[in-house]
């Protein structure tokens, strides 16, 4: 029996570790329960912990996040703005001065957000512990019923939207010194959208007592979208209204190397890591299989040993 127990334990541990490397960023919580969501979040937590040498209690963090997810009886399309307060409080990190990067337009910026963050040694929300655990994930309620969130008309009050709104507010509120904003002139509707989280949540939350300057970094400028024109001009005017000193660079594609070189001289930023990036993007099929296998082994242990 002791030999069987050891073999089962070895398989379970091996399965759990393999799951950490196979569950991708697009994993969603569907029927195979919140097991898939839990496995992804705890795997990212462990990876973040290993890479940054921080000591996080991944099981407690999952428990706190799960408790923050709306119950089955809750209206998942009308959540309060503080729905995820305890999870954010438990995972929040202090952001070093001059290192905050805000962005808007992920669909056009794509991997440039990640590239700029890593090359220029700055931090966006997805590189914090709070954000990286949930980046690109979907959830709805504690029963894993994703379809119940499909008809939510106001994203900021939906299960996922309420989290990102609140996390963005807390992240912007921690900013100090120089704050950078990354945008793209190729974005449909303009580089700066006045209904975006950047416009409605982050900018109003920046504190003039802590932020010394806001730097606009525009990629892919066009005839209508550049410093002093179009929606970029709207952003510049809004920053001045809020009382911030601002400067605008609309040739970032050309000066990208120089910008990052200056930042790199300041050294690495310990304690931050994009744990939901390609480091975890593997075959979801095998991840699903292993979660099922792990569940089966756990049930076997409980019943037979």
């Amino acid at each position: 029996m002791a030999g069987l127990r050891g073999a089962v334990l070895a398989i379970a541990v091996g399965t759990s570790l393999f799951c950490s490397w196979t569950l991708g960023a697009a994993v969603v919580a569907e029927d195979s329960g919140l097991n898939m969501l839990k496995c992804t979040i705890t795997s990212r937590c462990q990876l973040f912990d290993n890479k940054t040498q921080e000591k996080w209690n991944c099981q407690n963090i999952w428990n706190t996040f799960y408790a923050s997810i709306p119950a089955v009886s809750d209206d998942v399309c009308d959540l309060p703005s503080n729905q995820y307060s305890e999870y954010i409080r438990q995972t929040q990190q202090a952001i070093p001065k001059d290192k905050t990067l805000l962005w808007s337009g992920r669909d056009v910026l794509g991997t440039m957000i990640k590239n700029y963050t890593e090359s220029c040694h700055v931090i966006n929300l997805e590189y914090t512990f709070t954000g990286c655990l949930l980046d690109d994930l979907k959830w709805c309620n504690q029963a894993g019923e994703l379809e119940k969130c499909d008809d939510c008309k106001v994203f900021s009050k939906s299960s996922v939207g309420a989290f990102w709104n609140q996390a963005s507010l807390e992240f912007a509120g921690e900013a100090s010194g120089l704050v950078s904003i990354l945008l793209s002139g190729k974005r449909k509707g303009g580089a700066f959208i006045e209904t975006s989280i950047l416009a409605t949540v982050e900018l109003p939350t920046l504190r003039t007592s802590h932020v010394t300057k806001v730097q606009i970094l525009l990629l892919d400028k066009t005839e209508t979208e550049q410093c002093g024109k179009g929606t970029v001009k709207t952003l510049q005017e809004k920053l001045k209204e809020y009382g911030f000193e601002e400067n605008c660079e609309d040739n970032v594609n050309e000066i990208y190397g120089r910008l990052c070189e200056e930042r790199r001289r300041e050294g690495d930023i310990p304690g931050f890591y994009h744990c939901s990036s390609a480091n975890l993007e593997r075959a979801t099929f095998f991840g699903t299989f292993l979660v099922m296998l792990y569940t089966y082994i756990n049930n076997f242990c409980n019943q037979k040993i």
Side-chain angles (χ1 to χ4, degrees), residues 128-196:
T128 66
F129 190 57
T130 299
C132 85
L133 296 188
L134 303 180
D135 190 23
D136 280 334
L137 297 183
K138 293 180 182 178
W139 64 92
C140 186
N141 61 20
Q142 291 181 352
E145 300 168 313
L146 285 179
E147 68 281 357
K148 290 203 170 179
C149 289
D150 288 344
D151 297 326
C152 294
K153 292 180 172 58
V154 181
F155 178 70
S156 62
K157 289 184 173 292
S158 68
S159 194
V160 173
F163 165 72
W164 287 111
N165 262 40
Q166 190 178 354
S168 297
L169 184 146
E170 297 291 342
F171 180 67
E174 285 289 308
S176 62
L178 174 66
V179 172
S180 302
I181 299 177
L182 189 64
L183 303 170
S184 172
K186 289 183 177 179
R187 188 180 188 184
K188 185 178 179 180
F192 177 65
I193 305 294
E194 295 199 61
T195 55
S196 64

Side-chain angles (χ1 to χ4, degrees), residues 1-11 300-301 304-305:
M1 183 64 71
L4 176 60
R5 185 189 300 273
V8 169
L9 180 61
I11 294 171
F300 178 81
C301 289
K304 302 294 183 183
I305 298 178

Side-chain angles (χ1 to χ4, degrees), residues 48-113:
F48 194 101
D49 183 80
N50 290 337
K51 289 290 184 179
T52 63
Q53 301 300 307
E54 301 282 339
K55 297 301 177 187
W56 300 98
N57 188 320
C58 297
Q59 182 60 49
N60 283 353
I61 286 166
W62 162 255
N63 292 342
T64 300
F65 175 69
Y66 178 76
S68 301
I69 298 175
V72 176
S73 58
D74 291 344
D75 183 349
V76 294
C77 294
D78 190 25
L79 297 178
S81 59
N82 64 345
Q83 179 77 21
Y84 296 91
S85 291
E86 185 56 29
Y87 166 78
I88 291 173
R89 184 200 65 76
Q90 191 171 330
T91 57
Q92 199 167 26
Q93 297 168 285
I95 308 300
K97 184 180 178 181
D98 300 327
K99 297 298 184 181
T100 299
L101 174 69
L102 307 178
W103 56 265
S104 187
R106 191 173 194 166
D107 55 331
V108 286
L109 287 172
T111 58
M112 190 59 189
I113 302 168

Side-chain angles (χ1 to χ4, degrees), residues 15 18-33 35-37 39-40 43-44 135-138 146 276-293:
T15 299
F18 194 83
C19 174
S20 298
W21 292 98
T22 55
L23 286 178
V27 171
V28 294
E30 290 179 314
D31 251 345
S32 52
N35 284 340
M36 289 288 288
L37 186 65
C39 187
T40 304
S43 296
R44 291 178 177 185
D135 190 23
D136 280 334
L137 297 183
K138 293 180 182 178
L146 285 179
S276 57
S277 67
N279 299 297
L280 281 175
E281 291 170 2
R282 299 292 187 271
T284 302
F285 172 81
F286 292 108
T288 305
F289 170 74
L290 288 169
V291 172
M292 294 172 64
L293 177 61

